Amino acid sequence: MADAGNVAADMAAFRFLDQEAPFDSIHPSLQRISRLNNNFGLYEVVPGIYQTRGMDLANMTFVRGRTGWIVVDPITTTETARASWELLQAHVGEGLPVSAVIHTHTHIDHWGGVRGIPLDADDVASGRVPIIAPEGFMDFAVSENVYAGNAMGRRLFYQYGSLLPTSPHGFVGVGPAAFTPAGMTGLIAPTRLISGKFEEMEIDGIRVVFQSAPNTEAPRTMNVFFPELKTLFIADMIFATLHNLYTLRGAQVRDALAWSKSLNETLQRFGPETEVMCAGHNWPRFGRERVAEVIRTHRDIYANLNNQVLHHANQGVTINQIHNVYKLPQSLEDSWFVRGYHGHITHNARAVVQRFLGFWDANPVNLVPLSPEESAPLPVEMMGGAERILARGQELYNSGDYLLAMEIVNKLVQAEPQNGAAKDLLADIFEQLGYQSECGGHRNSYLAAAYELRSGIPEGAVVGASADVVRAMSTGLFLDFLGIKMDSARAEGLSFTMNLETPDTGETFLVELSNATLNNLVGYRSDDADLTLTVNRADLERVMAGEATLEALLADGIAQVEGDVAILGQLAGLMVEFDPRFEIMPGTKRRSETTGADAFEASVGALIPE
């Protein structure tokens, strides 16, 4: 159970997958890995290293040190991390404390549960219990989810199927694990950063070698090798599925070639000594030859995606064709541990084109196209109207031509968002495409769209970023976010210059509104500013977290101003609140407004795993 009273994690819901017979509504290969992900509990990797698996989206790893337990990646939520720690202590923990924490990379499913393990604030502050992470961890852990955080959170329902019912006709898993838990998240800033490509140190009596692999699976990530234990923790660089170069919830496209080269370096540096490899998801690999095979295959698939997609692109194949042209070599196609359960070659191939050439396929038709709702009415009219499209769409559906059926029925839904028969038929088509999908993200996206077409946008809880994460936003990042939150149309003709000073951190920011655009620059101030706002960063954090208003801080004298204080009200009036349930499929909107929030609250939405 979550501390808030809801269910955080329930593996019993997935027991239907354990039956031997196949389901006609689940791709058999997806059913296979989902069954494997049903194995959950506390596992010994090698003597001295344990993992809890299947209790969260990610694995939590414990390494026995001289005086306590080194925790590697304390998973997603407080509740699942606490349950994992308690399970360890019940069987092999010996009552020993946490002696160190390692965050291997910046995705929340590898650090969000840190408040669920027993850490004394004084021990962390003094360095007695180090929190170790790659250099740049804090910036990327927060910023990746802020700039487009609301949009990512909305799209998360599609990729992760977070509000779909768990059933043979609904949610069955996400590839790397069974589910994403629904609990509280936290964040404790690292006290020791890894900056070199390879760094060796002793942690609680254990030799550890870190390999930095930036701009690969995450903006900042590292692998962890334990030489005496001959065990490699490969983080999220490898698990039992192909990963995402483009992740469906939305993110900057990842560098497949850099990913491949880092794995090649891992293979050469650690391969000869590694007897066991474990990771942040799925299960370990045992034996030097098997470990080398798995690393080599993952190395090769990312290199092949990069090189061969560009091979086709250099011959004129476009982003709108590549997913139907690029094919894996048969040897990679036959490797179960790089099947597309999570990432998939179709959207990964398009990602490579996007990374190098962008969204445009060079056909001027697609350079400045009409929006779908504007372009759809004409082809609907030329196809003979709704009745003919529905009849033909039903024929295509009945014959199993789902992609063609989707093409024409989608046009009708875009043209007539309130046409219930059209939405029902498109939902039926999406459902069948979902049932056929080997990729969990594809299945969830089709089924989520079908759900919304039939029932409207779900009203399930939307969990925002935790106070820890909001506090971790740098002041510059917060000001950047205000620039995104501001409605430029409302700012036409307005201008001002403001100094923001935070005495407790010694920072100064020059904030300027001009040309309906909000800019900020750290380390500068204007002697002719229209307004100077002085507020301690600690108090500003209360405003960012929605615990106080800037108006109240000014009234109490906690914040001070010099100059035209009306500018703050003017700026607040330019802000909008992002709707966490904006419409994706036409005609599915059920709410017209969102809950009010303070203009300067950093309501960035749910943080995103993976």
Side-chain angles (χ1 to χ4, degrees):
M1 297 299 295
D3 294 345
N6 60 289
V7 175
D10 180 14
M11 283 304 296
F14 295 88
R15 283 303 168 212
F16 68 91
L17 290 163
D18 288 341
Q19 74 172 48
E20 291 290 339
F23 293 95
D24 60 4
S25 57
I26 308 174
H27 190 291
S29 183
L30 180 60
Q31 182 178 337
R32 170 186 174 273
I33 195 169
S34 297
R35 287 185 63 189
L36 292 172
N37 282 333
N38 265 358
N39 294 296
F40 72 100
L42 176 68
Y43 294 82
E44 182 183 66
V45 179
V46 297
I49 298 181
Y50 298 85
Q51 285 187 316
T52 51
R53 299 198 289 270
M55 299 174 65
D56 188 282
L57 180 62
N59 300 334
M60 191 161 167
T61 304
F62 306 93
V63 181
R64 177 69 156 84
R66 184 175 56 234
T67 64
W69 292 98
I70 303 166
V71 177
V72 184
D73 287 356
I75 54 180
T76 312
T77 69
T78 297
E79 293 87 344
T80 51
R82 183 192 302 134
S84 294
W85 176 258
E86 289 172 353
L87 189 59
L88 175 84
Q89 289 295 342
H91 295 279
V92 295
E94 303 176 42
L96 296 174
V98 175
S99 57
V101 177
I102 297 172
H103 297 317
T104 62
H105 63 289
T106 51
H107 294 146
I108 194 173
D109 49 325
H110 299 268
W111 51 261
V114 69
R115 297 287 182 185
I117 57 177
L119 289 170
D120 182 88
D122 291 338
D123 286 342
V124 172
S126 68
R128 288 190 294 271
V129 177
I131 311 292
I132 303 166
E135 189 172 42
F137 172 86
M138 287 294 281
D139 287 341
F140 285 101
V142 178
S143 65
E144 187 180 26
N145 300 279
V146 170
Y147 294 133
N150 189 70
M152 288 184 185
R154 174 70 177 97
R155 292 159 63 112
L156 192 69
F157 171 43
Y158 277 53
Q159 180 182 356
Y160 281 91
S162 50
L163 296 177
L164 289 173
T166 303
S167 73
H169 293 87
F171 180 75
V172 299
V174 293
F179 63 93
T180 303
M184 290 297 298
T185 59
L187 176 60
I188 298 177
T191 59
R192 187 163 184 177
L193 298 174
I194 304 300
S195 57
K197 179 168 282 191
F198 292 96
E199 285 194 30
E200 182 171 340
M201 66 177 68
E202 184 177 289
I203 305 173
D204 193 19
I206 301 293
R207 272 184 65 210
V208 180
V209 182
F210 295 98
Q211 178 198 2
S212 293
N215 302 315
T216 53
E217 192 273 341
R220 294 294 180 269
T221 193
M222 60 188 186
N223 300 320
V224 188
F225 183 59
F226 301 95
E228 281 94 353
L229 299 170
K230 300 187 183 301
T231 299
L232 173 65
F233 185 84
I234 199 72
D236 273 14
M237 296 286 285
I238 287 175
F239 38 76
T241 164
L242 177 62
H243 212 316
N244 288 302
L245 299 180
Y246 169 76
T247 183
L248 300 179
R249 47 90 175 175
Q252 294 183 21
V253 170
R254 295 160 183 168
D255 188 338
L257 192 57
W259 197 332
S260 173
K261 288 181 179 294
S262 286
L263 287 177
N264 202 5
E265 203 161 29
T266 303
L267 180 64
Q268 303 307 320
R269 179 69 179 261
F270 301 127
E273 301 177 64
T274 301
E275 296 289 349
V276 177
M277 180 175 70
C278 58
H281 299 270
N282 303 118
W283 43 85
R285 304 314 202 289
F286 297 93
R288 193 173 301 175
E289 291 184 5
R290 177 61 168 169
V291 168
E293 176 196 13
V294 172
I295 297 175
R296 185 178 298 110
T297 303
H298 280 266
R299 175 199 68 182
D300 292 348
I301 199 168
Y302 294 116
N304 191 273
L305 268 160
N306 184 85
N307 298 344
Q308 291 307 300
V309 166
L310 290 176
H311 173 84
H312 290 300
N314 278 307
Q315 298 180 79
V317 178
T318 73
I319 193 169
N320 295 320
Q321 299 166 320
I322 189 63
H323 52 290
N324 295 316
V325 174
Y326 170 73
K327 304 295 180 188
L328 284 175
Q330 193 60 47
S331 57
L332 293 175
E333 187 76 29
D334 291 342
S335 296
W336 286 105
F337 50 85
V338 288
R339 297 293 300 176
Y341 305 119
H342 188 44
H344 199 271
I345 60 165
T346 52
H347 67 256
N348 278 346
R350 299 185 77 182
V352 175
V353 180
Q354 180 182 324
R355 178 176 177 82
F356 286 93
L357 297 174
F359 71 91
W360 187 40
D361 62 2
N363 184 338
V365 167
N366 299 316
L367 186 55
V368 190
L370 291 168
S371 298
E373 66 274 15
E374 296 172 319
S375 66
L378 179 60
V380 166
E381 175 194 332
M382 295 178 68
M383 282 189 275
E387 289 187 10
R388 291 191 63 179
I389 294 173
L390 285 171
R392 184 65 177 127
Q394 189 66 54
E395 289 176 7
L396 291 167
Y397 174 85
N398 293 342
S399 64
D401 293 323
Y402 301 121
L403 292 175
L404 284 174
M406 179 178 66
E407 287 281 336
I408 63 170
V409 178
N410 181 59
K411 286 283 193 295
L412 178 55
V413 172
Q414 295 287 348
E416 301 180 9
Q418 303 310 318
N419 188 321
K423 290 196 292 185
D424 285 345
L425 180 54
L426 186 56
D428 290 344
I429 295 164
F430 283 158
E431 197 167 58
Q432 294 304 315
L433 288 168
Y435 294 162
Q436 293 183 10
S437 296
E438 183 180 24
C439 176
H442 288 196
R443 175 191 174 92
N444 293 335
S445 297
Y446 283 127
L447 296 186
Y451 180 97
E452 292 188 359
L453 284 166
R454 292 182 179 133
S455 307
I457 299 171
E459 293 293 329
V462 176
V463 180
S466 71
D468 277 350
V469 175
V470 171
R471 283 192 292 268
M473 292 176 67
S474 67
T475 305
L477 178 57
F478 168 64
L479 293 172
D480 288 342
F481 180 67
L482 291 184
I484 295 168
K485 199 176 177 185
M486 187 189 82
D487 183 352
S488 186
R490 299 181 189 177
E492 288 286 357
L494 301 178
S495 64
F496 64 75
T497 301
M498 180 177 78
N499 296 321
L500 171 63
E501 299 180 349
T502 55
D504 57 342
T505 61
E507 289 184 306
T508 300
F509 292 84
L510 177 61
V511 183
E512 184 177 6
L513 176 66
S514 63
N515 297 309
T517 303
L518 192 66
N519 291 285
N520 73 86
L521 191 62
V522 65
Y524 290 81
R525 74 185 313 278
S526 170
D527 293 335
D528 301 317
D530 300 299
L531 173 70
T532 296
L533 170 64
T534 303
V535 58
N536 280 333
R537 161 68 197 204
D539 294 314
L540 183 62
E541 285 174 4
R542 294 166 54 206
V543 176
M544 293 161 59
E547 298 167 357
T549 65
L550 193 54
E551 184 180 33
L553 296 186
L554 289 168
D556 293 341
I558 296 172
Q560 295 86 38
V561 292
E562 295 179 15
D564 186 3
V565 70
I567 285 174
L568 293 176
Q570 189 179 65
L571 180 60
L574 302 178
M575 299 296 144
V576 300
E577 184 184 357
F578 295 134
D579 184 350
R581 295 183 179 87
F582 58 79
E583 188 175 88
I584 295 176
M585 298 306 302
T588 57
K589 187 69 174 173
R590 297 200 294 183
R591 295 182 358 143
S592 59
E593 60 185 38
T594 57
T595 305
D598 184 74
F600 298 117
E601 181 180 345
S603 50
V604 299
L607 286 171
I608 312 300
E610 189 266 311

